Amino acid sequence: MLPGRIILIVLVLLSCPPPAPAISSPSIPDLLLPWKDWVLHGYEEQVFCTPQADNPARLQCDWPSQLSLELTDSGGSFTQSWLVQHEQWIRLPGDLENWPEKVTVDENPALVIARQGVPQVKLKPGEYTIKGDFSWVSMPEYLTVPRHSGIVALSLDDRSIHFPELDEQGRIWLQADKQKEEKVENRLAVKSFRLIDDRIPLKMDIFLQLDVSGTPREITLGPVFPVGRFIPLSLNSFLPARLEQDGRLRVQVRPGQWNLTLTARHVGQVSSLQFRPPEDGHWPGEEIWVFNSHPDLRVVEIEGVPAIDPLQTSLPPQWQKYPAYRLLAGETMQFKEIKRGDPQPAPDQLSMNRSIWLRFDGSGYTL
């Protein structure tokens, strides 16, 4: 039984996907390949799906794109693309009262099943485009849609609704959106801050503040870090966001103020970091960096960039306790290494506990 458990543990470890696209999956020895399907049975979601940034135990297996709705007083249609990482039931727009008709997946007729009171189709891993129609006597007050759809493009009677009213229950209110809307210009303001955590390896947190106005849309920022020198670790965003392999960040934005945090680690030793703002048309020409030192690992001095008062900036409050520096485009933060390791380590300590057992005849002790 023990050899079987060892094979199971080894195969699970070798079959798990890498935490970042830049790291390739380890190969499985030929001797263990026949056991692969048996080991992974029941663990497909852990292997193929993506853990959520705020809760790694929760897995996201389906990723929707923009949902397009074209509705009139007599019916309408919808279109949405999906990326499915593991076989899933995909939620469709509509409900039992407003059932989607003539549903197709990649132009092929699809079987729609009522599950948990909503229409759903079952899809295997892959990329799909789902289309369907609606018909009703009069336009309903609201229409339910997949709650994690990032952007909803709504058209009522051939008139685009720039700000659809979508609540937390996934209901898009139609009657409220039939009123005339004021045209608003699309604008985007980006502020960027970085926390340099001088660990081994060095970590960098990129904190983005997005001030968005206008229509819901998809934007591309970056590359947000030098590809090849940094490996992404996590992305925390309330908005639907995706980090591409070239370091670009795709975000489905809507009006409001939003914060995103990206964490990456450096490859190899670091003696300097240069600020090169991406040429995406949105990135600011200056950034504020803060430095979190670890004297037990190494002692460095920051050179090449001016220090500023962190309390006089719009840094995240939890970062204002660190030394702050302002960097303009092309400037380099240099790390002058003074010492490596703890120059005054704590003295060695040894503690020992022993149990002494007295023999029954009293002739001695046993340790």
Side-chain angles (χ1 to χ4, degrees), residues 6 37 50 73 77 89 91 105 165 168 198 200 215 226 232 240 245 261 267 272 278 285 293 304 327-328 356 364:
I6 295 176
D37 294 337
T50 304
D73 288 333
S77 63
W89 284 97
R91 169 82 164 82
V105 176
E165 187 175 342
E168 295 181 355
D198 195 28
I200 300 177
T215 61
Q245 293 190 2
T261 303
V267 178
S272 64
S293 62
L327 279 84
L328 300 177
I356 301 177

Side-chain angles (χ1 to χ4, degrees), residues 230-255:
F230 282 90
I231 297 176
L233 300 178
S234 65
L235 175 61
N236 187 3
S237 170
F238 184 81
L239 296 173
R242 177 176 178 177
L243 183 65
E244 303 292 350
Q245 293 190 2
D246 61 358
R248 298 183 186 275
L249 185 63
R250 299 168 65 91
V251 188
Q252 296 179 353
V253 299
R254 55 181 181 268

Side-chain angles (χ1 to χ4, degrees), residues 123-259:
L123 299 179
K124 295 183 178 180
E127 297 185 17
Y128 302 93
T129 298
I130 304 177
K131 298 181 181 180
D133 297 334
F134 294 104
S135 61
W136 44 60
V137 177
S138 61
M139 184 177 296
E141 184 177 6
Y142 64 85
L143 185 68
T144 57
V145 299
R147 285 189 294 178
H148 58 309
S149 294
I151 298 178
V152 177
L154 176 63
S155 174
L156 298 179
D157 297 326
D158 296 327
R159 180 172 57 87
S160 296
I161 304 300
H162 297 301
F163 302 99
E165 187 175 342
L166 181 64
D167 61 21
E168 295 181 355
Q169 285 73 39
R171 298 176 298 182
I172 182 169
W173 295 86
L174 305 178
Q175 300 295 339
D177 286 325
K178 295 188 71 175
Q179 59 186 352
K180 186 177 180 180
E181 290 194 343
E182 179 183 357
K183 185 176 181 180
V184 180
E185 182 181 359
N186 289 339
R187 292 187 179 180
L188 173 64
V190 179
K191 291 184 179 180
S192 177
F193 308 93
R194 303 189 189 226
L195 168 62
I196 310 301
D197 194 1
D198 195 28
R199 298 178 178 270
I200 300 177
L202 181 141
K203 290 175 57 180
M204 179 173 64
D205 291 345
I206 305 175
F207 183 82
L208 299 178
Q209 293 180 343
L210 307 182
D211 191 352
V212 185
S213 63
T215 61
R217 58 198 184 274
E218 182 175 280
I219 63 171
T220 302
L221 302 174
V224 295
F225 57 83
V227 178
R229 295 186 59 191
F230 282 90
I231 297 176
L233 300 178
S234 65
L235 175 61
N236 187 3
S237 170
F238 184 81
L239 296 173
R242 177 176 178 177
L243 183 65
E244 303 292 350
Q245 293 190 2
D246 61 358
R248 298 183 186 275
L249 185 63
R250 299 168 65 91
V251 188
Q252 296 179 353
V253 299
R254 55 181 181 268
Q257 294 182 342
W258 313 97
N259 298 331

Side-chain angles (χ1 to χ4, degrees), residues 273 275 289 302-308 324-328 331-334:
L273 290 174
F275 172 45
W289 294 11
I302 304 300
E303 296 181 344
V305 290
I308 60 175
Y325 305 87
R326 188 200 66 182
L327 279 84
L328 300 177
E331 291 187 339
T332 301
M333 173 181 284
Q334 300 176 357

